[in-house]
Amino acid sequence: MSDRLFRSSLDSLVDKIALVTGAGSGIGRSVALALAREGCRLVLAGRRPGPLERVADEVRAHDRDALPVVCDVGSPTDVDGLRTSARQAGVVQILVNSAGIAPAASFLEMEDALLEEVLRVNFKGTYYCCKRFLEPMIAAGWGRIINIASTTAKAAYPHTAAYTASKHAVLGLTRVMALETARKGVTVNAICPGYTDTELTRDNARRMASRIGGSAAAALDRFAGTSPQGRLIAADEVADLAVLLASPAGAAVTGQGIHVDGGAFMG
Ligand code: NAD
């Protein structure tokens, strides 16, 4: 596609309403700002009011509307409230599910409660949002759902049983929803980032350092070394793919789990 055609494809994102969960930090924040730069109006959902307000101010600095809504995506009641609040903005036609947690534990040491919480936030949170925002997209004849999964949606690493199970589930949900919406103007995709330079990764590096010794910086270097490119992914690189998937240029891409991982996973 020529640059001119690609730009005109992005132009049609202007004034679309995009809802991003986990928007207060990391990948969610980068996606929200990237969509704002393309002209979207934003509904920003997350647990913590402070970071959401700061991202809302950053969106408004691009002359775009921002509606921050405090919401635990793992609570169906909260997501009902999010739907009610989002209606003030209009019809959400782009949904990006980025809220997530990634506590690490070996399978034998893992408490049942850890599995339940990771599935509640990462999988059920994605499900509740998809469930509540899909129908208006179908009614409008145009919609984009982008689930931020992980390389662990297709691969496995030790000490990540709950997280890996939750991301496999997110990809399975993505694929089924893509089939059921394929003729309704809606696409449903997952982005599968590798180790990305966010607070979540820095937290995991600190935990790894305290578990096996060494510094958090050394742990981050180990994470970076798992990628053929030898580096962490920037949150903005994940956001750039989300913008492409959200644009009309992404119309034929559905049901995919697309890796942004420097070549760490092939297949
Ligand atoms: P992050 O911690 O910066 O962002 C996650 C956001 O989700 C935070 O703002 C947090 O407050 C919010 N959140 C957590 N639980 C929530 C809940 N119950 N309800 C609403 N919001 C909640 O980390 P990130 O790296 O930007 O992670 C974003 C997504 O990307 C996650 O789904 C994560 O699994 C995925 N991911 C991250 C990496 C990585 O290396 N950082 C790699 C692959 C996938």
Side-chain angles (χ1 to χ4, degrees):
M1 180 180 277
S2 74
D3 187 49
R4 186 182 55 77
L5 276 177
F6 184 58
R7 282 301 333 157
S8 71
S9 169
L10 289 179
D11 285 348
S12 67
L13 290 179
V14 173
D15 284 336
K16 286 242 160 36
I17 295 166
L19 163 61
V20 181
T21 74
S25 61
I27 292 170
R29 170 183 168 274
S30 285
V31 171
L33 294 179
L35 289 170
R37 281 193 291 273
E38 299 306 334
C40 290
R41 294 150 62 199
L42 268 301
V43 180
L44 307 165
R47 281 173 317 176
R48 300 167 301 159
L52 284 181
E53 290 293 347
R54 283 193 287 279
V55 176
D57 285 342
E58 292 182 276
V59 168
R60 291 180 193 122
H62 292 285
D63 273 336
R64 295 285 95 198
D65 296 341
L67 176 67
V69 183
V70 175
C71 166
D72 173 354
V73 296
S75 154
T77 314
D78 273 24
V79 181
D80 284 340
L82 172 62
R83 176 172 54 185
T84 305
S85 301
R87 280 199 194 114
Q88 291 170 37
V91 176
V92 169
Q93 285 186 277
I94 301 167
L95 166 64
V96 181
N97 286 302
S98 189
I101 54 174
S106 77
F107 180 75
L108 286 176
E109 286 167 3
M110 187 173 85
E111 304 279 350
D112 291 351
L114 185 144
L115 176 76
E116 278 151 22
E117 182 61 2
V118 172
L119 290 178
R120 189 186 75 85
V121 176
N122 293 3
F123 173 60
K124 290 188 179 176
T126 300
Y127 164 82
Y128 293 139
C129 291
C130 289
K131 185 84 177 169
R132 281 153 184 76
F133 290 96
L134 175 62
E135 274 184 22
M137 292 182 194
I138 292 173
W142 194 97
R144 297 284 189 263
I145 295 179
I146 299 163
N147 296 325
I148 307 300
S150 161
T151 48
T152 64
K154 297 186 206 164
Y157 307 97
H159 296 97
T160 66
Y163 186 72
T164 295
S166 74
K167 296 299 187 178
H168 271 62
V170 165
L171 184 57
L173 177 72
T174 301
R175 288 170 165 162
V176 172
M177 287 185 63
L179 289 175
E180 294 190 14
T181 57
R183 297 187 184 200
K184 300 181 193 297
V186 176
T187 67
V188 188
N189 288 289
I191 298 180
C192 301
Y195 286 112
T196 305
D197 189 7
T198 68
E199 198 47 40
L200 181 146
T201 299
R202 288 188 283 276
D203 261 359
N204 274 336
R206 283 190 284 272
R207 275 200 295 264
M208 179 186 265
S210 68
R211 200 176 63 240
I212 65 171
S215 66
L220 281 177
D221 283 345
R222 280 175 67 165
F223 294 161
T226 62
S227 155
Q229 289 186 341
R231 67 180 181 90
L232 299 177
I233 302 301
D236 284 349
E237 293 178 292
V238 180
D240 287 343
L241 177 59
V243 168
L244 177 67
L245 290 172
S247 76
V253 182
T254 195
Q256 303 305 304
I258 304 173
H259 286 252
V260 181
D261 65 357
F265 178 90
M266 298 182 190

